[in-house]
Amino acid sequence: MLCFPGRNPPTPRAIGRRDALRAGAAAVVAGACATGCTADRAAPPGPSARAAPAEQQAAPRPEPRPEPRHESRPAPAPRAFPGRPAQIEHGPRDRARVALTFHGGGDPATARSVLAVAERAGARVTVLAVGSWLDAHPQLARRILDGGHELGNHTQRHLTLSSMTEAQAYAEITDCAQRLRRLTGSIGTWFRPSRARYATPLVQRLARRAGYPHVLSYDVDSLDFTSPGAAAVIRNVTGTIRNGSVVSLHFGYADTVAAMPDLLEELARRELRAVTTTELLTP
């Protein structure tokens, strides 16, 4: 359990909630691994195994019950926020809300783990997906939206846009937008440039041409992509987060999954509500 200097120790209720979130994250990861593990396969019966009686062998098995179908949420389109700059780093500072934004890439099992932990805590996140990642894992687009989260564009191949020609950079933006539209009916709610915290004026202009009124930056960097350990990820976020902050995080890193329960617990302790970026900016 992490300690935050100068703050009251967590109550038994807080500890119980945190343990539940941790257990849930571990269960999701373990479940994803178990499906591919040969150790879980049943061993063949030994010489002394007896056959079941004929009447038991002939008994019909009940038909499996179909999984409940959930109605897919409509995919929202980008929207303009009058009075907000073309490049948004944070939301209003007078409301106790924050946006946890994730770069969509890497092992899909970690993505599902992060989403599950967030949902158990009542948090909603914004995912900026790489187009090639969606090509490999198209089902994750609807998984994100159907979980109540937000889905956006993080370029097609996650390359450095500032080193490209105008035509190349525009293709990176629109290729990912096309994937999003094909999978969800929308180009996504937000665009964030790859391999850069801030978009250049050219990239901002290309994003507007592609249909994104704003470019989404951030004011809090977790540095989770450096794999510094879960405790460091939490310190990096909680050390600078405040009302209206937009936090940069990543799918695909074990430290991020491990950090999520304690991070969400600390946000709850500070009465900071984790919402989508659109909710953060909506009055």
Side-chain angles (χ1 to χ4, degrees), residues 69-74 142 146:
R69 294 179 62 86
H70 300 283
E71 183 178 354
S72 294
R73 299 175 66 250
R142 288 300 341 170
D146 292 347

Side-chain angles (χ1 to χ4, degrees), residues 9-204:
T11 64
R13 179 181 177 184
I15 293 173
R17 184 166 177 260
R18 182 180 305 168
D19 289 343
L21 289 172
R22 285 174 174 165
V28 174
V29 175
C33 293
T35 58
C37 294
T38 56
D40 292 336
R41 296 174 183 170
S48 60
R50 297 180 179 178
E55 61 271 14
Q56 293 183 11
Q57 293 179 346
R61 295 184 178 181
E63 291 292 328
R65 307 179 84 180
E67 293 186 5
R69 294 179 62 86
H70 300 283
E71 183 178 354
S72 294
R73 299 175 66 250
R79 57 174 287 191
F81 290 89
R84 289 286 168 188
Q87 185 154 225
I88 294 176
E89 296 181 66
H90 60 80
R93 297 299 193 187
D94 59 350
R95 291 181 294 180
R97 299 179 184 177
V98 296
L100 303 181
T101 67
F102 288 83
H103 300 233
D107 184 352
T110 63
R112 293 188 181 96
S113 296
V114 168
L115 294 172
V117 174
E119 288 157 14
R120 277 191 288 273
R124 297 293 176 261
V125 305
T126 299
V127 179
L128 291 312
V130 177
S132 59
W133 185 67
L134 293 176
D135 288 340
H137 312 289
Q139 71 282 2
L140 285 176
R142 288 300 341 170
R143 168 65 184 89
I144 291 163
L145 292 173
D146 292 347
H149 310 288
E150 202 164 38
L151 183 63
N153 181 330
H154 196 40
T155 75
Q156 177 60 24
R157 295 177 295 165
H158 202 262
L159 304 176
T160 305
L161 295 185
S162 59
S163 66
M164 295 181 176
T165 66
E166 180 174 337
Q168 290 171 335
Y170 187 63
E172 279 292 309
I173 299 170
T174 56
D175 284 356
C176 184
Q178 290 169 3
R179 265 71 172 178
L180 288 165
R181 188 188 297 279
R182 185 177 68 247
L183 292 170
T184 70
S186 166
I187 65 172
T189 47
W190 296 96
F191 167 73
R192 173 175 287 168
S194 52
R195 300 187 181 276
R197 182 168 183 167
Y198 301 107
T200 64
L202 171 61
V203 172
Q204 292 181 46

Side-chain angles (χ1 to χ4, degrees), residues 98-105 114 118 123-129 154 158 192 216-226 228-230 232-238 241 245-253 255-260 263-264 267 274:
V98 296
L100 303 181
T101 67
F102 288 83
H103 300 233
V114 168
R124 297 293 176 261
V125 305
T126 299
V127 179
L128 291 312
H154 196 40
H158 202 262
R192 173 175 287 168
L216 182 60
S217 183
Y218 47 90
D219 64 328
V220 177
D221 193 346
S222 69
L223 298 176
D224 58 348
F225 63 92
T226 65
V233 171
I234 296 169
R235 285 196 304 270
N236 292 338
V237 174
T238 59
I241 198 170
S245 283
V246 176
V247 183
S248 172
L249 293 147
H250 293 73
F251 288 157
Y253 292 88
D255 289 349
T256 310
V257 179
M260 282 294 289
L263 176 57
L264 291 169
L267 295 183

